[in-house]
């Protein structure tokens, strides 16, 4: 009887691991994730959103190696008070979608600041209501409309300027 129970338990563990619940071997360390550009991108639902915006399976797979599981509704709970789009002025020509957003759409987002930093790849720095950095997301391959949509959904200013 104990033999059949332990066999059943072993089969259950194998099935859970095959379904993706056991992810320990696939996870990357903080340093490796930062080198891939996933600093602060902690929730696996963010990887699902990334997959919608950027159709690059290898990038999404790397994201999933750097994320932690979350509940389905937790992505809607995380919002920020403001954001900074940081990019190197010299590299800006290589990112026409980011340029398009900065020149055409940024004024629609008064709580988003453009910051030019030498050598910086394009990224969103998400800030809380105290101005503290909470998350950094690289946007190298994002389309202009995806930047707009992401900021619309994830940035809600704490105080109204009315």
């Amino acid at each position: 009887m104990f033999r059949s129970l332990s066999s059943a338990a072993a089969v259950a563990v194998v099935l859970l691991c095959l379904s993706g619940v056991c992810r320990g071997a696939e996870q990357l360390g903080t340093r490796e994730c930062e080198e891939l550009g996933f600093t602060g991108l902690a929730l696996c639902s963010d990887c699902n959103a990334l997959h919608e915006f950027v159709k690059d399976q290898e990038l999404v797979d790397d994201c999933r190696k750097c994320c932690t599981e979350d509940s389905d509704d937790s992505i809607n709970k995380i919002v920020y008070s403001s954001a900074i789009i940081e990019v190197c002025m010299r590299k800006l020509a290589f990112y026409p979608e980011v340029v398009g957003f900065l020149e055409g759409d940024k004024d629609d987002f008064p709580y988003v600041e453009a910051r030019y930093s030498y050598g910086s790849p394009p990224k969103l720095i998400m800030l809380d209501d105290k101005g503290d950095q909470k998350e950094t997301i690289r946007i190298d391959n994002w389309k202009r409309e995806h930047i707009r949509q992401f900021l619309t959904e994830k940035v809600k200013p704490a105080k109204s300027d009315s």
Side-chain angles (χ1 to χ4, degrees):
M1 179 169 172
F2 291 111
R3 185 181 247 173
S4 64
L5 282 177
S6 54
S7 295
V11 169
V13 168
V14 168
L15 289 174
L16 284 172
C17 287
L18 289 175
S19 71
V21 173
C22 300
R23 300 170 49 99
E26 295 178 21
Q27 294 297 99
L28 296 176
T30 303
R31 184 178 188 98
E32 293 91 349
C33 290
E34 286 179 0
E35 289 173 2
L36 290 170
F38 294 109
T39 55
L41 189 64
L43 301 176
C44 290
S45 56
D46 288 333
C47 298
N48 298 335
L50 177 68
H51 180 68
E52 289 179 34
F53 296 125
V54 181
K55 302 298 184 194
D56 181 343
Q57 190 59 46
E58 184 179 347
L59 182 65
V60 173
D61 291 343
D62 286 344
C63 179
R64 289 199 172 111
K65 291 176 186 175
C66 294
C67 71
T68 56
E69 292 297 326
D70 57 325
S71 64
D72 290 339
D73 63 343
S74 63
I75 190 168
N76 295 326
K77 293 179 184 175
I78 298 175
V79 293
Y80 304 95
S81 294
S82 60
I84 299 168
I85 295 182
E86 185 177 275
V87 65
C88 174
M89 186 67 96
R90 293 177 139 191
K91 294 181 179 180
L92 204 51
F94 298 108
Y95 304 106
E97 296 289 337
V98 175
V99 171
F101 176 82
L102 290 172
E103 291 178 351
D105 299 327
K106 193 211 154 294
D107 290 341
D108 295 341
F109 298 91
Y111 42 83
V112 176
E113 171 192 337
R115 179 188 296 166
Y116 300 99
S117 177
Y118 182 77
S120 177
K123 59 187 162 194
L124 284 171
I125 300 170
M126 311 307 287
L127 307 172
D128 65 9
D129 56 348
K130 296 176 186 166
D132 296 330
Q133 181 176 330
K134 291 298 175 185
E135 185 172 7
T136 302
I137 306 165
R138 294 219 8 204
I139 56 171
D140 306 55
N141 298 315
W142 286 27
K143 300 278 187 208
R144 177 178 176 175
E145 59 269 14
H146 297 152
I147 297 170
R148 272 190 76 82
Q149 181 180 1
F150 185 84
L151 290 172
T152 300
E153 293 174 5
K154 298 292 262 179
V155 181
K156 309 287 183 208
K159 295 180 180 178
S160 175
D161 293 330
S162 11

